[in-house]
Amino acid sequence: MAIKDVLLTLTSYPDPTPPSVIDHAVSLASLFDAHIAAISCEAHVQIPGSFLGGAGNLGAIVAGEAHKSRKNAQDLLAAFEAAAQKSGVLHEIVLERCLTFEVPDLLMEYARLRDLTIVPVPQSYDQWYAEAIIFGSGRPTLVVPEAPSSGVADLNRVLVAWDFSRAAARAVSDAIPILEKAREVYICTVTSEKTIPSRRSSSELAKNLSRHGIDVIVEEVDAAGRAIGDVLATQIESRRCNLLVMGGYGHSRLREFVLGGATRSILANPPIPVLFSH
């Protein structure tokens, strides 16, 4: 499926999304000639009435935080509007108003209706929104670091983390429109860390992608006692990759997301944009 409808989530609270993420998202939408919608939420902190009644200026503090969130959201959407108009991409802006704990579900609902959702992950971010979208939307999620190497979406070199799992297969399928535009695609299987169901899976995947006109380089890397996230980070650096494609591993338990080791490691500090699918 072609990528023609993109969603960009812009964080307004507690810290606003960096402008570089907006530039990266608009550049990607332009590359695919896709429509892009940017959404930001005016977030309100919910305080029980009993606390507001006896806490002096607590109510004023809460109102001040809501004002900060609203201004951040408006400024972010204005910056997106300017960038999208300059780039000439079809676009729209969405400003929502909700309580802070409602934001993840709201973004997840919007994400279910888009081909791809772009999520910024600042260093200070607690990953709650990203996890909700990755595991709840049923659609691919592109996680962009706080300071991507360039505001322009660069798809020269893509690394695919492959372990023959359902999540990895889903990620590859979702990423095909991106892989078709890449100059170099590496399929990396990390060995000696866990059992890989089929020794032929990497070569068979290469055959499948070749039928889409995608030439790939198949590699196996011995973990040698290292965590998968560390192995992938090394491969990204040595290959100077611009994008990582991998399955998102985890499940929801009473609204707490239990992440797989590699997913947790990469999501906590993505070195480059990462396309996750679950």
Side-chain angles (χ1 to χ4, degrees):
M1 180 182 70
I3 297 175
K4 290 299 179 182
D5 196 6
V6 177
L7 178 68
L8 169 63
T9 66
L10 298 173
T11 305
S12 68
Y13 185 84
D15 300 310
T17 297
S20 57
V21 174
I22 295 175
D23 294 338
H24 191 90
V26 170
S27 175
L28 187 67
S30 178
L31 181 64
F32 287 98
D33 192 25
H35 176 278
I36 180 169
I39 181 172
S40 193
C41 298
E42 175 189 334
H44 291 252
V45 179
Q46 185 178 43
I47 303 294
S50 58
F51 285 93
L52 287 175
N57 66 346
L58 182 57
I61 293 175
V62 170
E65 293 300 290
H67 174 76
K68 181 175 76 171
S69 175
R70 179 171 63 254
K71 185 178 186 308
N72 285 342
Q74 292 171 341
D75 289 348
L76 286 167
L77 292 175
F80 167 79
E81 180 85 23
Q85 288 181 348
K86 182 178 180 180
S87 183
V89 300
L90 294 175
H91 64 280
E92 66 177 301
I93 59 174
V94 181
L95 177 61
E96 288 279 3
R97 184 178 184 274
C98 61
L99 298 172
T100 51
F101 73 85
E102 295 175 327
V103 175
D105 284 344
L106 178 69
L107 297 180
M108 180 181 63
E109 291 173 0
Y110 274 92
R112 284 180 178 173
L113 303 172
R114 300 303 194 277
D115 299 333
L116 175 71
T117 296
I118 301 174
V119 180
V121 179
Q123 296 298 321
S124 60
Y125 199 48
D126 66 1
Q127 305 174 19
W128 190 15
Y129 300 171
E131 291 170 10
I133 294 170
I134 292 170
F135 294 107
S137 70
R139 299 295 187 103
T141 305
L142 182 66
V143 177
V144 179
E146 180 178 15
S149 57
S150 170
V152 178
D154 189 347
L155 300 177
N156 286 340
R157 291 172 293 277
V158 179
L159 181 69
V160 176
W162 180 250
D163 62 359
F164 204 52
S165 66
R166 179 193 178 283
R170 181 72 263 169
V172 171
S173 177
D174 288 337
I176 282 178
I178 295 176
L179 300 181
E180 289 174 336
K181 291 185 177 294
R183 294 182 186 177
E184 299 174 9
V185 177
Y186 301 93
I187 299 175
C188 179
T189 298
V190 180
T191 62
S192 301
E193 201 277 338
K194 65 179 181 180
T195 302
I196 306 297
S198 173
R199 298 291 297 177
R200 297 188 305 275
S201 66
S202 295
S203 58
E204 290 299 319
L205 176 61
K207 290 180 183 179
N208 171 254
L209 293 178
S210 71
R211 295 185 177 103
H212 291 271
I214 303 168
D215 293 327
V216 304
I217 298 173
V218 177
E219 299 177 319
E220 288 191 358
V221 180
D222 193 324
R226 297 171 294 169
I228 291 181
D230 293 336
V231 176
L232 294 177
T234 299
Q235 291 298 306
I236 288 168
E237 182 177 3
S238 65
R239 296 294 183 183
R240 294 181 298 147
C241 293
N242 313 111
L243 176 72
L244 171 64
V245 174
M246 64 181 294
Y249 300 91
H251 62 276
S252 177
R253 182 181 63 194
L254 298 178
R255 296 191 59 80
E256 290 187 7
F257 287 97
V258 182
L259 304 181
T263 304
R264 183 187 304 109
S265 173
I266 295 295
L267 186 57
N269 187 23
I272 56 174
V274 184
L275 187 142
F276 285 102
S277 290
H278 175 65

